[in-house]
Structure formats: C-alpha cells, structure tokens
Amino acid sequence: MQIVNPATEEIIKELKEDDEQSLNRKFKELKSAQQDWQRVPLGERIDFLRKFSQLLKKNIESLASVLTSEVGKPLQQSRNEINGACARIQWLTDNASKYLSDEVMIHEQSLTEKIVYEPLGVIGNISAWNYPYLVGVNVFVPALLAGNAVMYKPSEYSILTGLEIEKLLNEAGIPQNVFHVAVGGRGVGEILLNLPMDGYFFTGSYKTGKYIYGKVAPKMVPCQCELGGKDPLYVADDVADIKSVAAGTADGAFYNNGQSCCAVERIYVHEKIYDKYVDEFVKEVQSWKIGSPFEKGVYFGPLSRREQIKFLQIQVDEAIQKGAKVLLGGQAVSGKGFYFQPTVLTNVNHSMSVMREESFGPVIGIMKVKNDAEAIELMKDTEYGLTASVYSSDQNHAETILQQINTGTGYWNCCDRVSASVPWSGRNHSGFGATLSHAGLRAFTKPKAYHLKG
Ligand code: NAD
C-alpha cells in the first residue's frame, strides 16, 4: 500500500499489507505471550509504559514530522498531540495500581470477599487516523497495563505512526509479541474481526462502528465503540467577553482542521449577542494562516483524506442551495494537496446536512436563537451524543442546560478538550463504553469475585 503526503500528494512510502496468514501468526504469538505478560508484576508493567512515554518525549521532533507528513496536521499540532499523549500516559500509569489491584471488599473473621481485575486476553484495537497518538494511547496503554496483549490496527492513513509506536514500545521493554501492528485498510480490519480476539475496541465512524458491533456480537466478548459526533455549542446572552468567547470557540471548531471527534460542529448564539459574536468569530478565523503543515505559524494544513473534499463540497453546496450564507470560504483550494477553505456559514437550519451530519472538516454553521429553550431543543436534535458545550458567565445556568443534553461530556466555558482523569464516552450514534479515567482502566479487565471462607 502507498502512503501519500496529503499536502503534496507525493508517495512517501510503500508498505506490504498484512494478510490472513501473517495476521494468524501475529495473533498466535500474542495469545501465547499474553500469558507471561499477565504474570509480570503491575509495577513493572507501569515502568515499561513510563519508559515509553519518556521515549515519545525524547523523539518528539522526528515523531511529529512523521505524523505531519502522513496526516497533514501542522507540525506544532503534531507536537501538541504527542505531549498530550504523554500527559494521558502519566495519569494512567499514576493511577493503575489504585484501580487495577485486587480489592478486598469485606474482610471478617471467617469471610473475605474480594475483586480481582483479570485481563481480557488479546485485544483487537481498530483505530482512527485523526489523533493516532491520543486515540491509540486511550486503548493500548490501559490494555497493556491491565495485562492484555494488543493487536493494534492503525488507520490506513496513519500507519507510519503506528509502526513508530510499535518500535518505541519494544524499545521501552514491552515484549515483542505482546503488541503487534496490523498493517492495512478495511480488508485487514475485516480479518481481525474474524480472529478470536477476547475484546474489540474500535475508534472511528458510526457507519463502521455499527458494522463492527454487529459482526462481533455473536462472539460474546466485550466490544467498545468510540464514534463520531455532531457536537453542539451554545453561547448564552450573559457571556462576559464576546471577543474571547468567539476566539476560543472558533479554535474548538477548526483545530486540526475540524477533524476531531469532539470538534465543535454546530453553534447556536443568543440573538442579543449574535452579530458581535459572528463578526469576532470571522475575524479570528481570517487571522489564521493556511499553508504547508511544516511551515511555522500555519494553522490550517491539508485535510488528511482526498475524498473528504468532495464530501464537504456537497454539504456546503446543499446548505447554500437551501439558503445558507457563506461568510468565509466555501470551496476547495486549487493546486496540489487536499486543502479546503475554512468555511463559516450562517442562515443555517436543521434541514441542512451541515447541521445534522458530522462534517469532520473546516466547516461550521452558526445559527441565531431566541432563547435558551430554543437552543436546548436544537442541541438535542441529533442522533449523536459525544459532547455539548455552553458558554455563560453563570455555572448554574450552563449546568442546567447541559443536564438536559444526552452526551458523554458536558463543557462549561470550554470545548474540544479531553482529560485522562474523567471518562471519555459517547452515547447513541457516538458509541458506548468509556476510555480514560478509572472506567477506562477497568474497561480492559474482567472483574472476578472471590468469596473466601475459612
Ligand atoms: P473509519 O470508520 O473510516 O475507520 C476507522 C478504522 O476502521 C480504520 O482503521 C479502518 O481501516 C477500519 N475499518 C473500516 N472499515 C472496516 C471494516 N469493514 N471492518 C473492520 N475495520 C474497518 O473512521 P476514520 O475515518 O478512520 O475516523 C474518523 C471517524 O472517527 C470520525 O467519525 C470521528 O469522529 C471518529 N473518531 C471518534 C473518536 C472518539 O473518541 N469518539 C476519536 C477519533 C475519531
């Protein structure tokens, strides 16, 4: 398979894809090595993953460069991602003993009841390309800490990064057969679904997640899906500083070219402050530079996938045809590379796909609302349920709104952020199950109850 640089359209590497035979071999190796890995004391497993984090930091410049060359995100954003992954590893390694060690629940004279967190076995991790370090770390780090072996399938758009991760895990001391990379695209993913994994952890689109969940169901093993979103953001009339709210929320919509599962995908603004907000929002986006992702100061690189340009164009054209007003952008950038202009639409409504279907690109619709009640109704009008955000000077006001929105995460005066100390989870078409936090550490275990008398 060919790895293409999305900024230049040059082929940067050719790789041999895995096939059924090589994946069978890798699976057998993982299955047998997992037994020994499970017996390595937890403290030692923690040390290996801390070492891995140190290696990420040590090699950050070369790793960021590989990431930028294959997914096209600006170099500084690649560095930010790797640093973010290290912060997550720190939380997970600092808290692994607390949440993965045996728990004695009752200890009386002749009775002890305890929980032992046993690993699932071999994990199949089918992953996305938009944040390969972050979404990868969410799964393979707690899985390894809990004593599992991992078959990691990076997306076909971020394989070079997947191979770098494998190299550094081995260098950190993780035995070679405890972590394998499956190289390839959809076909390789299909082969993994046919192997007898002990658990499947998927990050990607709703369409693929739905398919994978259905395929895995008869196996009766855990299957967790972290999927897309159409995350709403509401700016209430009582925000203190409209200019800074506009700047912060524009970043939430456009960081990583909008290719984040928790990117702000639709904005509702109270009519009292709407004009000023939109004006500041557009000014902020206009101040950001488009260009080569390797150039300093560039905020918008190319999209990672060529086919996304067509998808965005259809979404924008449909909105225009139904009456949307284009304040910025609206089409692909001509020339080499998969570039799409940052696009701001107003006069939008929920009959348009741009307000209902995940865009996953630099396109945002901003809609004026009369009051909180209208904003809540529109925020709720979605099949997705990943995050929702409210900007207001009153925490109570914001929390009262967030309680009514069925999402895994609620944000007050912030957006597009993930923290390792709290669960990362979706609802409805955004998936189910949690990574990160104590829930994400224990997601890779089977709790076994012991009733001990005597
Ligand atoms: P995708 O669904 O196209 O692909 C994801 C992975 O599934 C890839 O590795 C791909 O090769 C594999 N795959 C595709 N078809 C398959 C099949 N039939 N059988 C087995 N494997 C198959 O998604 P993507 O484009 O890589 O990622 C973008 C999507 O991921 C967006 O919807 C985004 O919101 C979502 N995402 C969610 C989170 C989250 O934490 N909730 C994080 C990042 C990305």
Side-chain angles (χ1 to χ4, degrees):
M1 61 191 307
Q2 296 180 331
I3 312 295
V4 174
N5 180 330
T8 61
E9 300 185 37
E10 282 161 4
I11 295 165
I12 45 179
K13 192 130 193 167
E14 298 204 26
L15 292 172
K16 190 174 167 338
E17 268 197 80
D18 268 307
D19 55 22
E20 210 163 329
Q21 204 184 3
S22 64
L23 290 172
N24 265 317
R25 176 183 54 74
K26 286 182 183 181
F27 176 76
K28 279 190 190 135
E29 287 169 356
L30 290 167
K31 193 81 191 162
S32 100
Q34 189 269 326
Q35 300 291 322
D36 293 334
W37 177 242
Q38 174 176 354
R39 283 190 280 272
V40 171
L42 178 57
E44 282 178 40
R45 296 202 296 264
I46 291 171
D47 288 344
F48 287 136
L49 285 148
R50 286 198 171 127
K51 180 83 199 301
F52 170 65
S53 180
Q54 286 160 9
L55 290 171
L56 288 178
K57 281 193 185 135
K58 187 174 150 205
N59 294 289
I60 190 163
E61 285 308 315
S62 63
L63 298 174
S65 171
V66 169
L67 179 57
T68 291
S69 68
E70 67 179 335
V71 302
K73 70 176 70 189
L75 197 55
Q76 187 51 44
Q77 295 189 14
S78 290
R79 293 188 192 107
N80 296 348
E81 181 179 343
I82 295 165
N83 281 323
C86 292
R88 290 188 192 181
I89 296 171
Q90 171 146 13
W91 191 93
L92 291 163
T93 50
D94 285 354
N95 287 278
S97 294
K98 184 172 167 191
Y99 295 115
L100 296 177
S101 301
D102 300 356
E103 274 185 297
V104 175
M105 308 307 287
I106 288 180
H107 185 54
E108 290 166 353
Q109 255 179 354
S110 61
L111 173 69
T112 300
E113 291 177 2
K114 68 172 183 178
I115 308 171
V116 172
Y117 293 96
E118 295 180 349
L120 294 174
V122 180
I123 301 295
N125 176 201
I126 300 180
S127 204
W129 49 266
N130 59 328
Y131 284 105
Y133 283 101
L134 295 176
V135 296
V137 156
N138 286 2
V139 173
F140 67 71
V141 169
L144 291 170
L145 286 170
N148 299 281
V150 178
M151 179 85 89
Y152 174 56
K153 193 195 108 41
S155 159
E156 49 274 46
Y157 299 100
S158 58
I159 288 186
L160 300 181
T161 292
L163 293 169
E164 293 290 340
I165 287 171
E166 181 179 46
K167 204 167 75 190
L168 293 186
L169 281 170
N170 290 152
E171 203 179 319
I174 305 282
Q176 214 167 25
N177 291 332
V178 166
F179 183 92
H180 275 313
V181 170
V183 176
R186 174 186 302 203
V188 162
E190 289 275 359
I191 298 171
L192 298 189
L193 297 181
N194 290 328
L195 285 167
M197 302 278 175
D198 301 299
Y200 288 85
F201 289 75
F202 171 71
T203 309
S205 62
Y206 163 67
K207 186 172 159 231
T208 312
K210 187 171 107 173
Y211 173 77
I212 287 179
Y213 189 32
K215 278 282 272 199
V216 170
K219 294 179 195 275
M220 302 300 278
V221 297
C223 176
Q224 199 164 295
C225 290
E226 303 212 325
L227 312 177
K230 189 71 192 167
D231 297 0
L233 181 145
Y234 173 45
V235 188
D237 59 347
D238 60 353
V239 288
D241 178 353
I242 298 175
K243 187 174 160 51
S244 81
V245 169
T249 54
D251 189 44
F254 288 110
Y255 190 80
N256 198 27
N257 240 331
Q259 301 169 121
S260 310
C261 52
C262 53
V264 176
E265 286 255 340
R266 49 199 175 106
I267 299 178
Y268 306 98
V269 186
H270 195 286
E271 61 183 12
K272 270 198 209 157
I273 54 158
Y274 176 84
D275 289 341
K276 168 97 172 132
Y277 173 86
V278 170
D279 191 42
E280 295 294 350
F281 189 97
V282 169
K283 271 195 228 153
E284 180 69 15
V285 179
Q286 272 172 327
S287 73
W288 295 331
K289 201 166 149 190
I290 309 182
S292 160
F294 281 102
E295 199 185 311
K296 214 171 165 200
V298 161
Y299 183 88
F300 289 107
L303 297 170
S304 304
R305 295 168 308 157
R306 187 195 304 269
E307 58 270 31
Q308 194 62 5
I309 291 178
K310 196 169 156 207
F311 176 84
L312 293 175
Q313 195 67 67
I314 291 172
Q315 220 176 35
V316 170
D317 290 348
E318 185 231 26
I320 294 170
Q321 194 238 323
K322 288 183 172 168
K325 198 169 149 197
V326 183
L327 299 191
L328 266 188
Q331 50 193 305
V333 177
S334 56
K336 280 261 179 243
F338 314 147
Y339 287 86
F340 198 89
Q341 296 170 340
T343 298
V344 180
L345 303 172
T346 53
N347 275 6
V348 288
N349 62 55
H350 277 217
S351 75
M352 301 169 184
S353 118
V354 76
M355 295 303 276
R356 301 194 58 83
E357 291 304 320
E358 186 178 42
S359 304
F360 219 59
V363 173
I364 190 77
I366 307 179
M367 194 168 166
K368 191 195 288 187
V369 293
K370 282 194 178 54
N371 49 35
D372 289 357
E374 188 185 0
I376 293 166
E377 195 182 318
L378 290 164
M379 288 169 96
K380 283 163 82 168
D381 182 27
T382 179
E383 304 276 15
Y384 290 101
L386 195 57
T387 82
S389 172
V390 174
Y391 279 68
S392 159
S393 50
D394 179 354
Q395 180 178 351
N396 236 338
H397 180 191
E399 283 201 49
T400 307
I401 295 173
L402 292 170
Q403 279 156 15
Q404 299 172 63
I405 318 289
N406 190 20
T407 55
T409 293
Y411 299 119
W412 173 47
N413 289 345
C414 57
C415 55
D416 191 28
R417 81 185 293 276
V418 179
S419 163
S421 63
V422 286
W424 184 244
S425 61
R427 298 183 185 176
N428 298 330
H429 287 195
S430 294
F432 53 87
T435 51
L436 302 175
S437 78
H438 63 284
L441 276 164
R442 287 184 176 159
F444 300 90
T445 67
K446 314 176 261 207
K448 183 162 182 167
Y450 281 89
H451 303 241
L452 307 169
K453 279 194 160 191

